[in-house]
Amino acid sequence: MAAALALGLLGACGNVGDGLAVVQARIGSLISPRQMDTSAGPNLPRETIDEAAVPLILVEVPNRDASATMLSVGRNRTVTSWAGRDDVGLSMAEPGLVISTRGYGGDILSADIRQVLPALRQPSGATATRTFRFLDGTDQEYARSYFCEFERVGEQRIEIVGDIHQTVHVAERCGATDHGFENQYWIGADGLIWRSVQFAGSYIGYLHVERLHR
Amino acid sequence: MFAQVGNLMSVSYLRTLIILACMSLGYAVPQVAEAQTFQGNATAPVTLNAYGLPGLVDMPTAFAMPDADLAGTVSSFAGQTRGTMSFQITPRLTGSFRYSGLAGLSRGQGAAGSDFIFYDRSFDLHFVLLEEGGFWPALAVGLRDFGGTGVYGSEYIVASRRFGARDQVSATLGLGWGRLGTRNGFTNPLGAIDERFETRPGRTGLGGTFNTGQWFRGDAAIFGGVEWRASERLAFQLEYSSDAYAEEQADGVFSERSALNFGLTYEVRPGATLGLRYLYGSELGLSFSYSLNPTRPGVPGGRDGMPVPIAVRPASAEPYGQAWLSQESTTSTYFAVLSRRFEAEGLRLSSLGLDAERATVGLINERYQFEAQALGRAARIMTAVLPASVEQFELVFLVESLPTSRIILQRSDLEDLEHHPDGTFLSYGRAVIRDAEVSTVDTEIDYTMPYPRLDWHLGPYLETSLFDPDDPYRFAVGLELGARIELMPGLFLSGALRGRGFGDIGDSTRVSDSVLPHVRSDAAIYDREGEMALRQFTLEYFARPAPNVYSRLSLGYLEPMFAGVSAELLWQPVDARLGLGLEVNHVWQRDFDQLLGLRDYSVTTGHLSAYYDLGAGYDLQVDLGRYLAGDWGATVSIDRTFSNGWTIGAFATLTDVSFEDFGEGSFDKGIHLTIPIGWFLGTSSRGEQQVAFRPIQRDGGARLSVPNRLHGLMQDYHQPSLDQSWGHIWR
């Protein structure tokens, strides 16, 4: 049976269905499905970013040693969708909170961060409940909710590809019954999150997101 | 009907009833299991024994594998090799099929050299009566080799319990009958109920039947053992075996010096376990088992990339302009653009109907295992392409050009729910799913893809032939060229030609001794002469004669062994659990060379079929009718299905052909699996491997393998399947 699968993957051609090109590209993943194709975004120099004049972000996934530069591909009210090479992508709600991911595997399907937004503006003593939704092994949605506490860590100057930003560093500590995580945000005077470390579920781990464009 | 009827009818009938009652209890558990986890499956990893079932070395334990686990085990010692496939059918019930090669076993046929291998097929059932808890142990009952020729025929009742803070140690004690009652056996305690339990009648018949007349009869013996789980991966087993291997020792296969077995198992990778055993004080044994679980894919949710974002219309107080509709060739332009964008996402646009406020697309899903994902991706593209005034999207899924279901979505809902935290649930509530023929407003199809349409493929194939005692595994590898032309909507001309490259599948010299017309048992001759074979060459016509009704007419060389005409009608409402079908065929047997010739034998066959979705992923199918050898009877199949396309099931057919006329195996039965390729890849694919195997292929209860039977084609796009896959709507 394994031989049949292997044969099916290898030599077939024709105009039927598209699956074959996808299949041939993924042969490596048959052996270790957890390894994602890394699409390392080249480290773009500041001039290139400015010339491009389009919104750009850099997303790194430490768990996988992968990073991608992503372009804005859509906007729906306050949510912007971003996509990089190899079709990985995510969506962020203003001012820069990750609410869904795609292409990483174990993706966040959707998230409820409505209580997080006001807490980020006034972090001292603020609390919020946030919820993530994922797909389980039987392709049904399930939700994970966390209770989060915020702390204004302090002011910090950060540098992103040559540009300096004066930001306020805010930490968000979230817990559930058996596990928890900690998100970090560096929020500029304009209210935008210039840099953040956001938890994206236990399969992906943390996402390090940096806003590259001005 | 199939029980061995002897003088002891009442005893075996009662026993069968009790066992069936317990099994149906096992079926009821999945619903309950959602509310409370069945602890028996949730704790420490379960060791599989040399029989491929939860156990120690040779002896069973009272545990079960995690629900829906599918495990393959190969174990061997002293030339006795067992290959077992086990499936956790329900949280409590484990079933397995085993093929064993036993070197040197004579089976009373006179002295056998050690190079003579007796091949044996057996089926087992293992049922957990009680899960461990409080002060009591887990309790299970099992039937080993309950049909077949009975080399492993035994029954047992066993108790096991785990100890330790992390359940590192388990102790097992049990009582076995049959082969498990041969060492230090004593008079059957069940003899207190009825003294007929004290003797075990010999095996009768041609195998394949349920030897209920034997179950739990004859001497009983005690077995037991302990297991110590030293780490997550490493475990040690020690057992006292009640199996004296009397026959093997009499044939000189090995000689034992002790009743104790020692084992060591090590999980080299998740799901893959190596076992080393020291058996009966004299033999070393080796085993390997691999298990996977359809509900635990490598990549949860898959790794499909970013879909096209919903293009939100600019806010407007006025209704959106409709001037675009009256422009020249507007529909063909939109058709071309949509078509191109659909292809990039593995979808095919078959037709388009456009009104100022409504668009209807005929859609063919070529990529997504999860139909709701195809729906979501198509809808996204429509928001990006169609003018703002189009508010209502109607997507009709086509299979073989037959409209199956029509899903109606409002564009405003798509815009609102794309990023909504509860978008999946809410979008399901707002979608309207109907049978494709039902329409509230007349829709004109303004533009369709051009006909005729050609699809072709050229690629390698692998064919296997199993379980021939002369050579249990034969195969052939070659090239297959196939083409399918859609001449007009629903009318297809297709053919497939195979050329064998190499392989020994044609080497069998077995001659069928069947007293029935050789409708399937001459497979060896077909394999031998079919080096270049016209697998199929047919003209098919699919139609929708009425709401909820589908029809098919097929003409030509329908399958490798038969040619003729086949007609089918299916009634299957889009939201129903029940479907009913009627199929009638008239076929001629094809020449052995699988080219254009026909043989003399012809037959009219047909079936009335009922398809029922039992819920919790179990599907039942019952077919009643006439089979290829002219016999009348019924087939029952039960499948466990999963949202990701995995299907594991078993079937059995009983007809008016007597067990003697059927021959070895007594009646037709088997196991079939559908293995979705996308599950292994992590990205979407509709590719599947269908694997069906029967312990033995004979002529009774044989059904025509006509391609494209309607139920299998349609059900993917009906409500139950869309429900199950709706989690992928926004992916």
Side-chain angles (χ1 to χ4, degrees), chain A residues 12-201:
Chain A
C13 59
N15 73 335
V16 176
D18 60 290
L20 298 167
V22 175
V23 158
Q24 277 153 351
R26 295 276 186 230
I27 283 187
S29 60
L30 199 65
I31 301 152
S32 56
R34 291 194 205 315
Q35 248 181 342
M36 189 187 84
D37 281 298
T38 56
S39 57
N43 285 323
L44 299 176
R46 173 51 57 187
E47 307 82 58
T48 316
I49 296 171
D50 287 346
E51 269 168 26
V54 291
L56 283 172
I57 59 173
L58 179 66
V59 180
E60 290 173 327
V61 190
N63 263 9
R64 304 193 183 180
D65 209 15
S67 69
T69 305
M70 296 192 189
L71 218 53
S72 158
V73 291
R75 194 178 167 82
N76 187 340
R77 313 227 173 108
T78 59
V79 177
T80 309
S81 296
W82 307 83
R85 274 169 44 185
D86 290 336
D87 275 341
V88 286
L90 46 79
S91 296
M92 296 202 290
E94 236 164 35
L97 289 167
V98 173
I99 59 162
S100 69
T101 67
R102 294 290 185 271
Y104 288 98
D107 291 306
I108 302 174
L109 265 193
S110 64
D112 187 349
I113 40 81
R114 288 174 286 196
Q115 292 183 15
V116 176
L117 295 166
L120 280 181
R121 279 182 244 122
Q122 307 271 10
S124 297
T127 60
T129 305
R130 58 151 74 214
T131 307
F132 291 118
R133 284 189 154 83
F134 301 95
L135 282 180
D136 69 14
T138 61
D139 305 291
Q140 304 305 305
E141 227 188 24
Y142 68 94
R144 283 255 178 284
S145 287
Y146 300 87
F147 179 74
C148 306
E149 292 170 317
F150 292 79
E151 180 198 340
R152 187 184 191 278
V153 178
E155 292 193 357
Q156 194 173 340
R157 271 165 50 111
I158 59 169
E159 187 201 324
I160 298 177
V161 197
D163 278 5
I164 310 287
H165 302 276
Q166 276 293 107
T167 64
V168 174
H169 178 189
V170 176
E172 178 188 6
R173 280 176 205 98
C174 301
T177 48
D178 55 352
H179 66 285
F181 58 89
E182 186 170 318
N183 287 350
Q184 317 277 345
Y185 308 94
W186 285 264
I187 307 173
D190 45 11
L192 298 170
I193 300 175
W194 284 91
R195 179 185 286 164
S196 58
V197 176
Q198 301 189 45
F199 182 68

Side-chain angles (χ1 to χ4, degrees), chain B residues 257-305:
Chain B
R257 293 201 288 261
S258 147
L260 292 177
N261 294 331
F262 298 84
L264 180 165
T265 53
Y266 184 72
E267 190 173 9
V268 294
R269 291 195 65 180
T273 305
L274 263 177
L276 191 62
R277 276 89 189 246
Y278 186 58
L279 296 142
Y280 304 103
S282 63
E283 295 288 334
L284 271 181
L286 219 56
S287 75
F288 177 71
S289 77
Y290 183 69
S291 65
L292 56 78
N293 191 315
T295 66
R296 280 200 273 283
V299 185
R303 259 186 305 133
D304 280 350

Side-chain angles (χ1 to χ4, degrees), chain B residues 136-158:
Chain B
W136 59 89
L139 197 65
V141 68
L143 301 168
R144 260 189 202 170
D145 192 7
F146 58 80
T149 45
V151 170
Y152 290 121
S154 42
E155 305 82 42
Y156 56 85
I157 187 156
V158 60

Side-chain angles (χ1 to χ4, degrees), chain B residues 391 409-418 430-431 730:
Chain B
E391 166 66 16
L409 301 170
Q410 304 302 322
R411 194 173 185 166
S412 317
D413 289 338
L414 293 170
E415 293 170 351
D416 290 343
L417 299 177
E418 183 192 10
R430 296 186 198 180
W730 292 113

Side-chain angles (χ1 to χ4, degrees), chain B residues 569-589:
Chain B
L569 264 180
L570 173 71
W571 171 83
Q572 176 98 57
V574 83
D575 55 355
R577 291 184 157 209
L578 175 69
L580 295 171
L582 173 65
E583 179 182 293
V584 179
N585 317 306
H586 186 83
V587 291
W588 288 260
Q589 192 166 13

